[in-house]
């Protein structure tokens, strides 16, 4: 049951992401973000990108890493015909390329939204790296350069998305909306240190990330519980 | 408000007239609502009338004389009769030098240009304070504050331009009543405020902003003879030059330094003259240097930033020997009782000031000082007694009573000759107690001052919301007519009642306690309840219809969700914008909201463009391959059927029966082959360009309050060293504007294609003549009135020609051309590139969004663009950013009505330009003028009315907020002004429409 293993992996990682982010946001993180912005952002970007990369790759290739070899032929979903799921090192390069392009795109949009162009460049770059890690890195891992799939996800026209695709799509939308909403307190005259660009947006993005993952976790857990109940009911007679 | 969809505009003639009636009703409701709400916000002035006499301030509780059995010989003569003067003058002559827009740091800062004053402050020859003015920091309310001591109502700013004689009790009248001769030179506002009060006067017009030397030499030329003359006791000088420099070039201008040195020389001259005079006079003379308001970092004033409200208040006299190193902060109105105490005249009745005790200490005896403080405190308690319901419960009054007790004890001890050292401490204690009492009374009075006519405000809000309902309500309902009658009844009753009750001759007995009001309120509630019920019912049905039709469309279109995403975002934006009004900083930084929304909107559009382009690139190949296999003819035919929105065709076809559907199906077009995909590519690039331009415009003029001080492109261009760059930018901008206005797709006439370039040329000459732009040939510098009038004439002729020819397309184009010319003329040179970019953004925006949504969506998107353009041009929600200089373009002097009209046009030129462009776009797309225009007008009114109705509720709720004067009320003024501009716009459009139809009928007959 590789679909089930993928579900399990997704739930597992999403749960960990949620709880880790929530814990992070609770433990005086915001204060230290205000004082040591650049350093913490660097750590955060490094950590989140690695985590996202690993978790997505592991979820995709779970069956390959941990499953039995004879599962491969008959249990893979048919929709993934054009989407080779064996892990290849060459696809790593590809996904990193897409990731880089995505970061540049996000940087451009951030500047267009009003991020300072001449100062605070490092902050802006780190912020776009963070957004890219949260929002598009899973997509990069799943689709790499398969533009048709990217498109179908963007237009939501394909109905045959796997659980992982759905969840990472939700996480990316939530992250982007969170970052967008995070810009709202900046003009307020509260004079708090976290109102400075890009801290509020970073926090917004992290909250969005946590919420997206949280929704995924809850939904999948609920589904799995129901499936188990159904199974047990079917087994009873 | 988006519920009003174009499909509700039925094509029937009856429906149209009903719609027109509703529009008219909404229009009237908005006008009435604005009238009543604004009427309610104007502070009710219930101060004392008439002049104060010494007897007014005689408090029997203080025993200066032998009230009881204790008697003292020296006091008896002074205070026995209540009509005798309570205070004895400490100074003989007084000179007030009022420098308009004198910032505190110009005098008291470490790098002051005013060396003489600075040195005098440092060595204790003079006493300096930082006086804090209250917003609105505009000249006339400030003069009123400085002379009456009261805080003038906010709406005084509206009357700043046409000042009527001041009837309230004031310094000038008191000085005259005490037998002093007052001489005035300077700003002629004073002459209007105090007609016939001066022995001698020479007024200079303050409104001719571009002149900053003659206004001051006009004042200074009188100085030497006045100093020699002996017939005056008080000399008031009001210098305007600094304010004019600020308006023209800002506080960092290189003209400021010389101007300040000039002012310093004036001060030095007067001070030396007075010192010389002091040797022969028995009483010393006093010189006061003050400012009416400060100057913001952009050079303007009107708002509440610290650089605008802080002005210096410096007292010079030969008797001062004290050194106050730190300039204590005092209220601007504190000047009034201080002066009254020093010169010995009754304090003006409505003064809220607290005498500056340092000044009294340094120039009079302890006893006289305590007496002056007591009089001041008594005057304040008198005001408090009038405004407060429970005088005994007021802390300030209680404190005053205690101070009086102690004062009496002190007086008794003095009479009994008890000369202990305790005296000094007692004096200090009494002083402190009086100070404390006065401070708390003044604070209480200031809080009480912001009184509102809540009844009128409520009525205004109700009317505005009724207006919203009328405008939102779809008219194709059978209930509409009955509902209409209801509304008319309610409104007429409300109006009748209001005319009787909220006017000048209001009789509170009739209006507030009669059962009539209950009836009226009941009717209003019933009416609005019916209206709300109607509205909900019809909205519900319309939403249901909308949903069902949408679901049909969903099946038809392939990527409808993006469109709905953008439309959903438009709805979200409207709601968020309205909610943002609740926070004062969001009101201050409203431009951020609009920039953010406009960028978000464009990013969403960009995303949808990218997706559809990608789709057409990927799927197009597949589909084309698939289409090649079966019969080749069908797909093409199908394409033409399903895509009436094909760009080139549509503009030629003009009228498209159902925009809503065609716009929805426009995205199907990519199946047609390569050309749509190239179109999509173009659209994508356009969208990107819009975003880049919006980003650039954002940094052109920083407004608001939080980041307004940061350097921006406009500041850089306005630097005199970058004159050549500014000229180049203006030249490029004018070229761009000319090309945009004279494009082939516009319906051109020969006359217009000649007049538009001529108009821009004369604008350039106008600016070059005023030395604001560089010119290759030498021009005699002048005011450029002729050139400006030539440009006006060009704009007028361009519009007039179109009116005479009577063609829709022609007409809107001509209107846009005329308005662009007018705006380019009125705007500062550094803003002409902004105007060009706004026009260009509109052009790009129009193309990139053409296939995105229905007409409603585009109306709202254009409204957003218009809001953004308002702020791009450097405007803000603070009164400081209104460019007064625009009101003099092409005029040889100050002309009241024209001045206001031109300033208003300069402020709202961006939004109006966008509205005109919207009209043009809609006409290009639809070609039908009647119904669509009517619906567009309805949308415009509706959006304005909705915002205003919500904002008036915010103002009502926040009416005692700390920032009400500095943030909420200026914003209200802007909202009202914007609404009035929109109302005028809509009325003009409808009027023109009616005229055109009539003329057409005549022609056909």
């Amino acid at each position: 049951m590789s679909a089930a293993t993928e579900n399990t992996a997704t739930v597992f990682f999403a749960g960990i992401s949620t709880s880790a982010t929530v814990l992070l946001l609770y433990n005086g993180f915001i204060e230290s973000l205000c004082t040591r912005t650049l350093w913490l952002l660097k750590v955060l970007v490094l950590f989140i990108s690695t985590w996202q990369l690993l978790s997505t790759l592991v979820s995709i290739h779970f069956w390959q890493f941990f499953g039995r070899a004879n599962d491969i032929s008959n249990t893979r979903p048919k929709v993934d015909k054009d989407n080779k799921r064996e892990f290849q090192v060459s696809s790593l390069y590809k996904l990193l390329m897409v990731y880089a392009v995505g970061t540049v795109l996000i940087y451009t949009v951030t500047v267009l939204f009003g991020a300072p162009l001449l100062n605070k460049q490092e902050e802006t770059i780190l912020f776009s790296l963070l957004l890219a890690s949260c929002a598009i890195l899973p997509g990069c891992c799943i689709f790499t350069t398969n533009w048709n799939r990217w498109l179908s996800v963007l237009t939501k026209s394909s109905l045959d998305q796997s659980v992982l695709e759905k969840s990472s799509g939700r996480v990316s939308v939530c992250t982007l909306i969170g970052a967008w909403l995070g810009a709202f307190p900046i003009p307020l005259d509260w004079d708090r240190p976290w109102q400075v660009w890009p801290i509020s947006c970073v926090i917004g993005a992290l909250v969005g990330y946590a919420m997206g993952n949280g929704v995924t976790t809850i939904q999948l857990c609920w589904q799995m519980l129901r499936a188990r109940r159904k199974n047990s009911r079917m087994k009873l007679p | 408000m988006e519920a009003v969809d174009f499909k509700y505009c039925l094509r029937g003639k009856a429906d149209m007239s009903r719609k027109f009636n509703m529009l008219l009703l909404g229009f009237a409701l908005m006008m009435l609502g604005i009238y009543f709400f604004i009427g309610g916000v104007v502070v009710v002035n219930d101060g004392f009338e008439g002049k104060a006499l010494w007897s007014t301030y005689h408090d029997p509780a203080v025993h200066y004389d032998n009230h009881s059995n204790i008697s003292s010989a020296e006091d008896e003569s002074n205070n026995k009769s209540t009509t005798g003067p309570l205070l004895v003058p400490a100074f003989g002559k007084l000179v007030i030098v009022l420098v308009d827009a004198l910032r505190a740091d110009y005098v008291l800062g470490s790098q002051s240009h005013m060396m003489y004053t600075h040195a005098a402050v440092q060595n204790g020859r003079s006493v300096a304070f930082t006086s804090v003015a209250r917003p609105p920091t505009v000249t006339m309310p400030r003069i009123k504050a400085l002379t009456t001591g009261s805080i003038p109502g906010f709406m005084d700013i509206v009357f700043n331009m046409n000042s009527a004689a001041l009837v309230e009790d004031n310094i000038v009248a008191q000085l005259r009543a005490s037998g002093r001769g007052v001489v005035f030179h300077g700003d002629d506002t004073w002459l209007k405020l105090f007609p016939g009060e001066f022995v001698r006067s020479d007024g200079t017009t303050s409104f001719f902003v571009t002149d900053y030397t003659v206004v001051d030499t006009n004042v200074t030329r009188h100085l030497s003879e006045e100093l020699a003359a002996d017939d005056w006791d008080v000399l008031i000088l009001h210098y305007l030059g600094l304010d004019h420099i600020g308006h023209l070039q800002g506080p960092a201008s290189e003209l400021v330094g010389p101007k300040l040195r000039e002012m310093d020389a004036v001060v030095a001259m007067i001070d030396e003259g007075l010192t010389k005079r002091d040797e022969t006079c028995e009483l010393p003379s006093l010189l006061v240097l003050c400012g009416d308001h400060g100057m913001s970092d952009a050079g303007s004033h009107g708002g509440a930033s610290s650089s605008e409200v802080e002005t210096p208040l410096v007292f010079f006299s030969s008797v001062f020997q004290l050194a106050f190193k730190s300039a204590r902060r005092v209220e601007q109105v504190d000047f009034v009782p201080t002066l009254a105490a020093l010169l010995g005249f009754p304090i003006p009745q409505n003064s809220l000031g607290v005498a500056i005790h340092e000044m009294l200490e340094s120039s009079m005896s302890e006893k006289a000082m305590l007496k002056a403080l007591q009089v001041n405190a008594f005057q304040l308690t008198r005001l408090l007694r009038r405004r407060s319901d429970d005088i005994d419960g007021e802390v300030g009054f209680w404190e005053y009573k205690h101070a009086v007790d102690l004062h009496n004890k002190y007086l008794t001890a003095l009479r009994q000759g008890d000369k202990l050292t305790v005296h000094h401490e007692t004096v200090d204690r009494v002083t402190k107690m009086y100070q404390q009492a006065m401070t708390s009374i003044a604070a209480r009075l200031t809080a009480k001052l912001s009184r509102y006519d809540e009844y009128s405000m409520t009525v205004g809000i109700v009317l505005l919301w009724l207006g919203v309902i009328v405008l939102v309500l779809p008219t194709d309902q059978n209930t509409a007519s009955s509902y209409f009658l209801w509304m008319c009844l309610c409104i007429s009753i409300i109006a009748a009642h209001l005319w009787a009750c909220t006017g000048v001759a209001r009789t509170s007995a009739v209006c507030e306690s009669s059962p009539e009001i209950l009836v009226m309120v009941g009717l209003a509630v019933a009416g609005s309840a019916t209206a709300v019920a109607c509205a909900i019912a019809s909205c519900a049905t319309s939403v249901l219809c909308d949903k069902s039709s949408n679901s049909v469309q969903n099946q038809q279109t392939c990527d409808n969700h993006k469109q709905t995403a953008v439309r959903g975002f438009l709805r979200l934006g409207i709601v968020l914008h309205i909610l943002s009004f609740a926070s004062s900083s969001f009101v201050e930084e409203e431009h951020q909201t609009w920039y953010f929304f406009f960028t978000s909107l464009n990013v969403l559009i960009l995303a949808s463009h990218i997706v559809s382009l990608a789709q057409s690139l990927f799927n197009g190949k597949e589909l084309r391959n698939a289409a090649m296999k079966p019969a080749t003819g069908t797909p093409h035919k199908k394409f033409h059927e399903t895509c009436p929105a094909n760009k080139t065709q549509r503009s030629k076809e003009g009228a498209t029966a159902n925009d809503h559907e065609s716009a929805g199906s426009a995205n199907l077009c990519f199946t047609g082959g390569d050309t749509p995909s190239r179109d999509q590519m173009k659209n994508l690039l356009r969208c990107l360009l819009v975003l880049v331009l919006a980003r650039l415009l954002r940094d052109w003029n920083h407004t608001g309050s939080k980041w307004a001080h940061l350097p921006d492109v406009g500041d850089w261009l306005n630097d005199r060293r970058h004159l050549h760059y500014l000229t180049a930018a203006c030249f490029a901008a004018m070229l761009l504007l000319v090309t945009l206005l004279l494009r082939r797709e516009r319906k051109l006439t020969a006359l217009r294609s000649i007049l538009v370039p001529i108009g821009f040329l004369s604008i350039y000459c106008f600016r070059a003549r005023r030395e604001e732009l560089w010119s290759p040939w030498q021009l005699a510098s002048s005011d450029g009135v002729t050139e400006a009038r030539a440009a006006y004439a060009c704009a007028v002729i361009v519009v007039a020609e179109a009116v005479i020819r009577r063609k829709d397309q022609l007409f809107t184009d001509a209107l846009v051309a005329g308005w662009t010319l007018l705006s380019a003329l009125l705007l500062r040179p550094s803003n002409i590139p902004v105007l060009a970019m706004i026009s260009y953004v509109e052009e790009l925006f129009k193309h990139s969004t053409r296939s995105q949504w229905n007409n409603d969506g585009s109306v709202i998107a254009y409204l957003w663009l218009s809001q953004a353009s308002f702020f791009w041009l450097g405007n803000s929600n603070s009164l400081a950013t209104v460019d007064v200089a625009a009101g003099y373009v092409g005029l040889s002097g100050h002309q009241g009505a024209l001045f206001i009209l031109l300033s208003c046009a300069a402020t709202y030129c961006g939004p109006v330009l966008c509205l005109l462009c919207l009209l043009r776009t809609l006409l290009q797309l639809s070609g039908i003028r009647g119904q669509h225009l009517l619906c567009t007008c309805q949308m415009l009114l509706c959006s304005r009315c909705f915002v205003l109705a919500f904002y008036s509720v915010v103002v009502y709720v926040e009416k005692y907020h700390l920032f009400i004067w500095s943030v909420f009320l200026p914003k209200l003024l802007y909202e009202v002004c914007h609404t009035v501009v929109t109302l005028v716009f809509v009325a003009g459009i409808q009027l023109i429409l009616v005229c055109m139809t009539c003329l057409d009928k005549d022609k056909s007959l």
Side-chain angles (χ1 to χ4, degrees), chain B residues 377 380-381 384 396-397 400 436-446:
Chain B
L380 286 172
T381 29
L384 187 65
F397 187 65
Y400 169 71
Q436 201 180 347
M438 285 194 281
T439 318
S440 49
I441 294 175
R444 189 87 181 97
L445 282 172
T446 317

Side-chain angles (χ1 to χ4, degrees), chain B residues 102-286:
Chain B
L102 187 66
R103 277 161 64 143
D105 60 332
Y106 279 164
V107 177
L108 310 171
S110 51
Q111 290 177 324
S112 170
H113 286 281
M114 305 185 75
M115 294 313 297
Y116 182 85
T117 316
H118 200 70
V121 173
Q122 290 298 319
N123 63 29
R125 280 260 300 110
S126 66
V127 191
F129 299 94
T130 306
S131 97
V132 180
R134 300 228 168 207
T137 44
V138 188
T139 300
M140 207 202 55
R142 290 308 99 217
I143 294 180
K144 281 190 180 171
L146 276 174
T147 52
T148 64
S150 60
I151 296 168
F154 188 79
M155 290 303 155
D156 267 348
I157 190 164
V158 180
F159 309 110
N160 188 26
M161 308 305 169
N162 51 347
S163 32
L166 193 62
V167 287
E168 236 179 300
D169 193 8
N170 58 67
I171 289 184
V172 180
Q174 287 291 354
L175 283 170
R176 220 170 99 89
S178 65
R180 292 177 171 91
V182 186
V183 173
F184 174 79
H185 297 295
D187 186 358
D188 65 350
T189 314
W190 286 74
L191 303 184
K192 288 178 195 153
L193 284 175
F194 310 105
E197 300 273 8
F198 301 117
V199 176
R200 213 178 15 252
S201 60
D202 179 23
T204 43
T205 320
S206 66
F207 286 108
F208 203 48
V209 173
T210 45
D211 158 42
Y212 48 81
T213 41
V214 183
V215 278
D216 287 354
T217 49
N218 262 351
V219 180
T220 313
R221 64 179 175 179
H222 297 287
L223 210 53
S224 52
E225 48 188 278
E226 291 294 355
L227 284 175
D230 208 29
D231 61 338
W232 56 266
D233 297 292
V234 178
L235 173 64
I236 304 173
L237 306 170
H238 188 153
Y239 284 96
L240 286 166
L242 186 62
D243 181 54
H244 291 185
I245 290 174
H247 279 297
L248 280 177
Q249 296 186 5
S253 160
E254 54 205 20
L255 295 169
V256 167
K259 179 54 78 182
L260 287 175
R261 282 193 283 280
E262 183 192 331
M263 293 296 110
D264 199 38
V266 168
V267 169
M269 184 179 167
I270 299 171
D271 192 32
E272 279 153 17
L274 289 180
T275 315
K276 211 176 281 171
R277 194 187 271 265
D278 279 354
E279 290 161 9
T280 54
C281 295
E282 53 175 320
L283 282 175
S285 310
L286 180 67

